[in-house]
Amino acid sequence: MTAEGAAGETHEGVLLDEPTTADLRAKVTQAWREFASALAGLLPTLAPGSYVDVTLDPTASGTGTAVYSVSIRVLADGVVEALAVGNAALPQEYRMDRAAVADLVALGWSPPGVLAGSGDSFGMRTSQDKVTPLATAVTRTLRDVYGAPHPAFLVYLVHDDEDEPIDASPLGTARHEPSIELALDALSDGDALERALAGVAEDVVPLDERVRTVVATMSKTTVDQLQVDTDGDIGIRAGSAMVFVRVRDNPPLVDVFSPILTEVEPTEQLYVKLSELTNRMPIGRLYCAQDTVWASIPVFGRNFQPTHLMLAVQVMTGLADELDDRLHGEFGGKRFFGEGDKPAAPKAEDNEGHRPGMYL
């Protein structure tokens, strides 16, 4: 062992022995236990034809175009079936390696195609009176294989065969997408809301077309005049910030996100600030990845509700335009339309150079 390696282990040991750090780790572990327990408690209560879709928020987790998800459905005679996304549904750069695939099999998943009807997904089947092992496997898959750092990075939806939401008890700290309805009174443009609803109510219309119709209605323009980049993202300028709307197919999901600041220096003060701001937000979250501060509000594509997207866009445009100025003044970096701004020197600290992880 080299001296450098020995020193690294010593520093890590000091960090892990520090009481507050150990407490944080314990809280994360407890959050995962609560999620698994809640999932195991929910599944026996669901009627045949019910689904539970759990997705790792791709924007907040920094997984780009990859969408890691598990879909659970209740079949007749109390049978519960779970399908976990496989490599065929993931972009090349985000596909699982041989070790991760082996971990899935070790957790009890059947390889894609082995379980009847599983297609390109890993499959697992059990009965409603024996769902605890399945709930544990799903939880460990999301955490250990798909890389979710905390259940708060998960978004879930409980629905029936007709994609109608089903009232269900919370899955720990994971976010239940329909709860976005609680803030609908924030929408002020009633006429725009009615026009959007009238234009996208038909389920036969593809999700991307419905999304573009809603955004065009809010922007008081036509679908053809929307600003769409080469990735298919719809761009909406909000003062000195830029908001993007991205539609994903598998699973159906709409990302409303904004790069609040780029080329920002990640510091402990920045992570603390983002954590505090996120805790005060009714929906969405702020996080830092690859020297960029992002804001994200995901909207489920299943049982798509135009009002949900309108709320997400309205919240994000106001949030991005306000926060990029505030955070730039305190932490520097560049705003999307900031005319080359950067400054705001990092504050000198005794532990300068120490960079905490993304999740606090």
Side-chain angles (χ1 to χ4, degrees):
M1 179 182 295
T2 65
E4 181 180 355
E9 288 190 359
T10 300
H11 294 157
E12 182 180 9
V14 171
L15 178 63
L16 295 180
D17 290 339
E18 208 278 320
T20 57
T21 304
D23 185 58
L24 285 175
R25 175 171 291 185
K27 288 181 178 179
V28 173
T29 300
Q30 182 60 30
W32 281 113
R33 288 174 178 165
E34 291 173 356
F35 173 82
S37 177
L39 182 60
L42 170 64
L43 294 177
T45 68
L46 298 177
S50 301
Y51 292 76
V52 180
D53 297 327
V54 187
T55 302
L56 172 59
D57 182 350
T59 308
S61 59
T63 54
T65 58
V67 178
Y68 296 95
S69 63
V70 176
S71 181
I72 307 170
R73 63 172 176 168
V74 179
L75 306 176
D77 300 323
V79 175
V80 179
E81 179 182 87
L83 299 177
V85 70
N87 279 337
L90 296 172
Q92 182 69 38
E93 63 272 25
Y94 289 103
R95 289 181 178 174
M96 297 173 284
D97 58 21
R98 293 170 62 89
V101 171
D103 288 342
L104 285 174
V105 175
L107 286 171
W109 295 97
S110 297
V114 173
L115 189 67
S118 62
D120 294 327
S121 300
F122 289 83
M124 184 180 297
R125 187 172 289 177
T126 187
S127 59
Q128 280 185 298
D129 58 348
K130 298 179 180 179
V131 293
T132 298
L134 182 143
T136 301
V138 168
T139 301
R140 293 196 59 187
T141 297
L142 293 165
R143 184 190 67 181
D144 301 336
V145 181
Y146 293 163
H150 189 283
F153 283 74
L154 303 177
V155 184
Y156 73 96
L157 180 64
V158 184
H159 62 95
D160 60 20
D161 277 327
E162 303 298 325
D163 281 339
E164 291 296 327
I166 296 175
D167 289 333
S169 55
L171 295 183
T173 54
R175 291 176 296 125
H176 188 207
E177 194 273 342
S179 64
I180 196 172
E181 293 176 352
L182 297 176
L184 283 179
D185 57 353
L187 287 170
S188 57
D189 191 345
D191 292 337
L193 175 60
E194 291 180 6
R195 290 196 300 272
L197 285 170
V200 299
E202 296 296 330
D203 289 340
V204 295
V205 179
L207 178 60
D208 60 343
E209 292 186 22
R210 285 182 279 167
V211 167
R212 293 187 183 193
T213 300
V214 173
V215 176
T217 301
M218 295 186 71
S219 304
K220 298 180 180 179
T221 186
T222 65
V223 171
D224 294 336
Q225 293 176 324
L226 288 174
Q227 181 179 344
V228 182
D229 62 20
T230 55
D231 294 324
D233 298 340
I234 304 171
I236 306 170
R237 180 163 184 173
S240 56
M242 191 71 172
V243 173
F244 295 96
V245 180
R246 173 180 296 172
V247 179
R248 304 179 187 274
D249 296 324
N250 187 22
L253 190 72
V254 183
D255 287 339
V256 181
F257 62 97
S258 175
I260 302 293
L261 288 177
T262 59
E263 298 184 31
V264 67
E265 182 72 16
T267 63
E268 184 175 359
Q269 290 81 9
L270 174 62
Y271 287 113
V272 170
K273 185 70 171 181
L274 297 181
S275 180
E276 291 174 349
L277 291 171
T278 296
N279 288 336
R280 296 205 300 265
M281 291 167 57
I283 54 175
R285 62 164 55 86
L286 294 163
Y287 63 98
C288 183
Q290 299 178 340
D291 299 333
T292 298
V293 173
W294 298 88
S296 164
I297 301 177
V299 178
F300 261 102
R302 287 185 182 275
N303 189 39
F304 176 73
Q305 299 295 319
T307 52
H308 294 185
L309 177 58
M310 294 179 75
L311 172 62
V313 171
Q314 187 179 59
V315 170
M316 183 60 71
T317 51
L319 182 74
D321 188 32
E322 176 185 351
L323 282 185
D324 68 341
D325 296 332
R326 187 194 308 181
L327 293 176
H328 172 262
E330 189 170 351
F331 300 101
K334 291 185 178 181
R335 294 168 293 181
F336 202 93
F337 297 105
E339 299 299 329
D341 46 24
K342 182 127 176 32
K347 299 176 182 177
E349 297 287 345
D350 292 338
N351 61 343
E352 185 175 2
H354 171 66
R355 304 287 175 82
M358 184 182 79
Y359 178 74
L360 290 176

